[in-house]
Amino acid sequence: MERRRMYIAGAALAGALVVGGAGYAVAGGVSGGDDDEAPITGDALAEASAAALAHVDQDGARVTETETGDEESYYEVEVTLANGDQIDVQLDGDFRVVGDEADDPAEDDD
């Protein structure tokens, strides 16, 4: 009887570790992007968002994704316009716009 309890407890622990690991991956922000790119956080998020929205300067625009360590700039802020179009705004480390690019919906079909 004692051995059966140990097996049940071991199975429960293994299940908890599997579920906990999956929860960690989701909470950690796994986005399917490059491994070295992480979302912008904290005060930098507020500054980068404000700079990108000011650059786009369109009513109804909103920040929908951010990255640090982007291959093209220090920060990348994806802005979605009211009509659904998206623009990636590239910022340097001082939150100055160094470029932008409209997303091509055809690239998303890959």
Side-chain angles (χ1 to χ4, degrees):
M1 186 64 152
E2 186 64 32
R3 181 176 282 192
R4 182 170 181 223
R5 281 188 210 172
M6 288 178 59
Y7 285 128
I8 292 171
L13 177 60
L17 290 173
V18 169
V19 171
Y24 175 77
V26 170
V30 175
S31 65
D34 293 336
D35 291 339
D36 61 345
E37 295 173 354
I40 305 170
T41 60
D43 292 339
L45 175 60
E47 288 194 55
S49 297
L53 291 171
H55 176 71
V56 172
D57 192 29
Q58 289 199 12
D59 289 338
R62 67 189 192 289
V63 172
T64 50
E65 190 173 321
T66 65
E67 295 177 357
T68 60
D70 181 66
E71 67 275 355
E72 297 159 358
S73 61
Y74 194 84
Y75 296 115
E76 180 180 277
V77 179
E78 180 184 88
V79 176
T80 300
L81 307 178
N83 68 1
D85 290 347
Q86 295 178 332
I87 299 173
D88 293 335
V89 180
Q90 307 296 328
L91 306 169
D92 67 12
D94 293 321
F95 306 101
R96 290 184 297 246
V97 175
V98 295
D100 64 30
E101 181 178 2
D103 278 355
D104 183 1
E107 288 180 9
D108 295 337
D109 292 339
D110 292 343

